[in-house]
Amino acid sequence: MKQNSPFSLHLLGVVSLCAIAPAETALAAPPAGCATVHASSEEDTPKGLIYHDLSVSAPSGITSLHVKKLVFAGRASSAQATQDLAQAASLLLVSTMTGQHNAACTQWLTEQGKQVVAGLQSGAAYDLTWNSATIEHGAAHVNVATARYQMQGTAGPHTSSASLSMSGLSFHNVANQQLLPSAAQAAFSLPTAEIPALISAVGGRSTAAPAVHATISNFEASEGTVRLQGHGQATLTGDVAATSASGHLEITNLEELIEKARTARQMKLAAGLVLGRLVSHRSGEQNTWDTTWTGGVLTVNGFPLPIK
């Protein structure tokens, strides 16, 4: 797998997570060289399908996902198609959280994306919740108490709307983990026809697939009393260096964030935030800006703040 930055802004890449399906003790595997997927048991309940002890492992054995319980509401065109979407969804969760891309998954993921488009265009909606998930990449671990992704094709004739929320995030052996959020959520919309390209880019190719253009109505990430909020436009790919965004940004308790950056010895970031504070608008505990993000650099009213 090709490595990018752990827990990068690929959170928005989760727009490609779509559905989960009937699991068996050993699920029908993705293509050889892509990933291995297993689940210990399943339940079919009025609330949806529930999967216990789901795992996704990369061929290298370095990267994996373990989920205590996964709940899905929504179905594909057949049992096999739903099963394929189940594996794709969890595989993409691993990719978005670790920045890992595996070209062996590319074509298979593109086909899953086409299934998602067909479902959304016919009025289907997907609701997927992971409970007690652990993502591992070598010595790095990310724990997620709850992650929920929802998507429906009702934002417009050619547009789908989606929302993502994550809570109980914690990190071990991850670079600059003091600066990473314990909770995050986003609400956005994107062209339905661009979904297969995004799925392919996030889990397979990192730069070859076309970019996806999303409108973000709200994005929020928080750690303690520090909270970042924003809205605007974003161009998403499977590569953080090719991902860009522009819009409005608000940070609550900026002083604490600056101190966190200093404690983490991220002096360029700390200095950039101090400069950003000088040109911000202040209202109570909030500092606000018009911003752009490209190539790992956040530009605030003309001042570049290197985040990566």
Side-chain angles (χ1 to χ4, degrees), residues 190-260:
L190 71 165
T192 304
E194 294 183 350
I195 291 174
L198 181 61
I199 291 178
S200 172
V202 170
R205 297 173 298 184
S206 61
T207 59
V212 174
H213 306 88
T215 299
I216 305 162
S217 57
N218 180 64
F219 172 77
E220 181 176 328
S222 60
E223 169 53 37
T225 61
V226 177
R227 184 174 61 187
L228 183 150
Q229 292 177 284
H231 56 81
Q233 308 290 322
T235 300
L236 308 173
T237 73
D239 182 3
V240 68
T243 296
S244 62
S246 63
H248 182 74
L249 178 68
E250 301 177 0
I251 297 180
T252 302
N253 289 333
L254 177 59
E255 296 299 330
E256 184 176 340
L257 180 59
I258 293 172
E259 188 57 36
K260 284 178 178 287

Side-chain angles (χ1 to χ4, degrees), residues 20-24 41-52 69-75 79 82:
I20 219 74
E24 299 173 356
S41 63
E42 71 168 78
E43 296 179 68
D44 194 351
T45 74
K47 293 184 178 180
L49 292 168
I50 301 175
Y51 304 87
H52 299 276
K69 185 171 76 170
L70 186 153
V71 180
F72 166 73
R75 294 185 180 277
T82 310

Side-chain angles (χ1 to χ4, degrees), residues 130-295:
W130 292 273
N131 292 296
S132 299
T134 300
I135 299 98
E136 300 180 3
H137 179 65
H141 291 197
V142 179
N143 296 315
V144 186
T146 302
R148 185 179 185 184
Y149 180 76
Q150 297 172 287
M151 175 174 272
Q152 57 185 8
T154 58
H158 305 293
T159 306
S160 296
S161 61
S163 65
L164 166 71
S165 62
M166 291 187 175
S167 62
L169 286 162
S170 62
F171 309 88
H172 180 67
N173 287 334
V174 174
N176 304 317
Q177 59 193 51
Q178 306 97 316
L179 299 173
L180 297 177
S182 58
Q185 58 183 359
F188 44 91
S189 60
L190 71 165
T192 304
E194 294 183 350
I195 291 174
L198 181 61
I199 291 178
S200 172
V202 170
R205 297 173 298 184
S206 61
T207 59
V212 174
H213 306 88
T215 299
I216 305 162
S217 57
N218 180 64
F219 172 77
E220 181 176 328
S222 60
E223 169 53 37
T225 61
V226 177
R227 184 174 61 187
L228 183 150
Q229 292 177 284
H231 56 81
Q233 308 290 322
T235 300
L236 308 173
T237 73
D239 182 3
V240 68
T243 296
S244 62
S246 63
H248 182 74
L249 178 68
E250 301 177 0
I251 297 180
T252 302
N253 289 333
L254 177 59
E255 296 299 330
E256 184 176 340
L257 180 59
I258 293 172
E259 188 57 36
K260 284 178 178 287
R262 288 171 175 161
T263 300
R265 298 186 178 181
Q266 294 295 307
M267 303 314 294
K268 286 186 178 180
L269 173 59
L273 290 171
V274 170
L275 289 174
R277 179 181 59 190
L278 295 176
V279 297
S280 70
H281 298 289
R282 182 69 181 267
S283 177
E285 294 298 320
Q286 289 186 330
N287 294 78
T288 66
W289 307 265
D290 290 323
T291 64
T292 61
W293 162 274
T294 183

Side-chain angles (χ1 to χ4, degrees), residues 16-105:
S16 55
L17 301 178
C18 44
I20 219 74
E24 299 173 356
T25 300
L27 296 174
C34 176
T36 301
V37 184
H38 294 283
S40 65
S41 63
E42 71 168 78
E43 296 179 68
D44 194 351
T45 74
K47 293 184 178 180
L49 292 168
I50 301 175
Y51 304 87
H52 299 276
D53 301 316
L54 183 73
S55 67
V56 178
S57 301
S60 64
I62 297 174
T63 305
S64 64
L65 163 71
H66 303 277
V67 181
K68 186 67 176 176
K69 185 171 76 170
L70 186 153
V71 180
F72 166 73
R75 294 185 180 277
S77 57
S78 67
Q80 182 60 57
T82 310
Q83 193 173 71
D84 287 343
L85 291 179
Q87 298 165 66
S90 294
L91 174 61
L92 288 167
L93 178 62
V94 179
S95 296
T96 55
M97 298 294 284
T98 64
Q100 302 300 302
H101 311 285
N102 186 346
C105 303

